Amino acid sequence: MAILSPRMKGWLERFGCHIGTANKSGFPTTIVVEQATTEGDSVVSFNLTDAQVNHIKDNIQTNPYVALAPHAIASIRAAYQFKGAATLDGNKLKVDVKEIYCTKPGPEAALRLDTLPPEHVIKFEESRWRDVGPPK
Amino acid sequence: MKLTDEMRNILKVGSGNSAVTYLTTSSSDGVCNVHLQPYTDVYQDEFIFAPDLFAQKTKININENRFAVLTVAHPPEGQMWAFRGPCNIIQWGHPPKFSFHGVVAGEVLDKWGDWGTLEPYDSVDDDIKPKSVGQRGVFVLKVEEVYSCKASESGSKIL
């Protein structure tokens, strides 16, 4: 299980995500959801519209592993990628995050963060971003 | 498929709009990767180009499954488009005549192989400006479909 940092939770909740899904043979479909909530250490939830549900439900049923990347200004200020197992219950999509990556372009792109102790992740964030509090 | 003027204006190098995008790819067995891509250009009105700057998993995915979706993350208003189609990477070392859907490696690398000559890498915010640059090639997405990412009409066909 991955542990989301307070900084990650703040940006995810405020701006939502681009959610990458694919069918079993790898044909990709991305949706954009502009708000999220987090639950506990590792769960990110999204309230989808009917159109979004219809767009990805087949993919989620056959291949629930998805990738998340923060939307809007969070793409710049919070360059993370999250991967995990999704479940769709009505219009609620829940993703239990299993992997967390830094996605700042450059040598630290794809650096895996969930394998670090949580206190090391916070130190990493403090050293790489000027803003470690909630997004303004 | 030809992109609209509005789409080209957002994605074209030097447009001054500096759109930040995501390129979603998948392994052949369906594990997705969403890659941050702050630099794009449009070629022949139907291809989207982007530099490969340390995009390790995207490259692995493209090598085994040549499809991708490009979505616009920032600025977020009014550009809720997803561009989907065959995608490949043209890399330094490819034979100059290597071709992907008619896009020829030599021509691509001559113009886009050193992206910094087209736009300065520091044209983006400090948070995502690469601290060092080692461009390995150019991602080429042939747009065959554009669908909406608006919440109320997600998936509806635009082009």
Side-chain angles (χ1 to χ4, degrees), chain A residues 1-2 6 9 12 14 26 33 35-36 38-40 47 61-63 74-75 77 80 83-84 97 101 103 123 129 132:
Chain A
M1 182 187 78
K9 289 180 179 180
L12 285 168
R14 175 77 180 277
V33 185
Q35 207 167 30
T38 59
E39 301 168 22
N47 284 319
Q61 281 168 2
T62 57
N63 176 26
S75 63
R77 306 286 294 284
Y80 303 106
K83 296 187 185 186
V97 174
Y101 297 90
T103 57
K123 281 184 183 169
W129 285 286
V132 291

Side-chain angles (χ1 to χ4, degrees), chain B residues 34 54 70 77 80 97 107 117 127 130-131 142 146 156:
Chain B
V34 183
F54 306 94
L70 185 127
E77 292 86 14
M80 301 297 275
K97 291 184 179 175
E107 293 174 21
T117 62
D127 295 89
K131 296 292 183 281
K142 182 179 190 295
V146 183
S156 62

Side-chain angles (χ1 to χ4, degrees), chain A residues 18 26 28-30 49 63 70 81, chain B residues 22 30 34 57 65 71 84 147 151:
Chain A
H18 292 228
T29 295
T30 305
T49 63
N63 176 26
Q81 183 182 192
Chain B
Y22 284 118
V34 183
K57 288 198 177 170
N65 178 28
T71 46
R84 184 161 58 184
Y147 65 79

Side-chain angles (χ1 to χ4, degrees), chain A residues 97-116:
Chain A
V97 174
K98 308 288 187 190
E99 304 168 56
I100 305 172
Y101 297 90
C102 172
T103 57
K104 291 182 82 159
E108 288 177 335
L111 178 68
R112 192 159 178 179
L113 300 178
D114 61 280
T115 54
L116 302 175

Side-chain angles (χ1 to χ4, degrees), chain B residues 17-141:
Chain B
N17 292 308
S18 357
V20 175
T21 66
Y22 284 118
L23 189 66
T24 300
T25 57
S26 170
S27 66
S28 58
D29 58 354
V31 178
C32 282
N33 194 75
V34 183
H35 161 64
L36 179 67
Q37 182 51 260
Y39 309 102
T40 58
D41 201 3
V42 175
Y43 177 67
Q44 292 183 347
D45 295 344
E46 63 176 332
F47 295 90
I48 300 173
F49 288 177
D52 171 17
L53 305 170
F54 306 94
Q56 301 161 66
K57 288 198 177 170
T58 299
K59 187 171 164 181
I60 291 169
N61 285 349
I62 290 297
N63 278 336
E64 64 186 42
N65 178 28
R66 294 209 164 120
F67 272 96
V69 182
L70 185 127
T71 46
V72 180
H74 187 77
E77 292 86 14
Q79 289 116 34
M80 301 297 275
W81 305 310
F83 305 90
R84 184 161 58 184
C87 187
N88 203 346
I89 178 170
I90 289 178
Q91 302 179 77
W92 288 108
H94 269 134
K97 291 184 179 175
F98 172 79
S99 171
F100 177 68
H101 288 274
V103 175
V104 180
E107 293 174 21
V108 171
L109 293 169
D110 279 349
K111 182 168 179 184
W112 289 271
D114 181 3
W115 203 276
T117 62
L118 301 171
E119 63 180 324
Y121 285 110
D122 58 7
S123 63
V124 300
D125 293 54
D126 279 351
D127 295 89
I128 54 169
K129 181 176 72 180
K131 296 292 183 281
S132 67
V133 174
Q135 185 181 345
R136 309 298 173 87
V138 179
F139 291 109
V140 176
L141 171 65

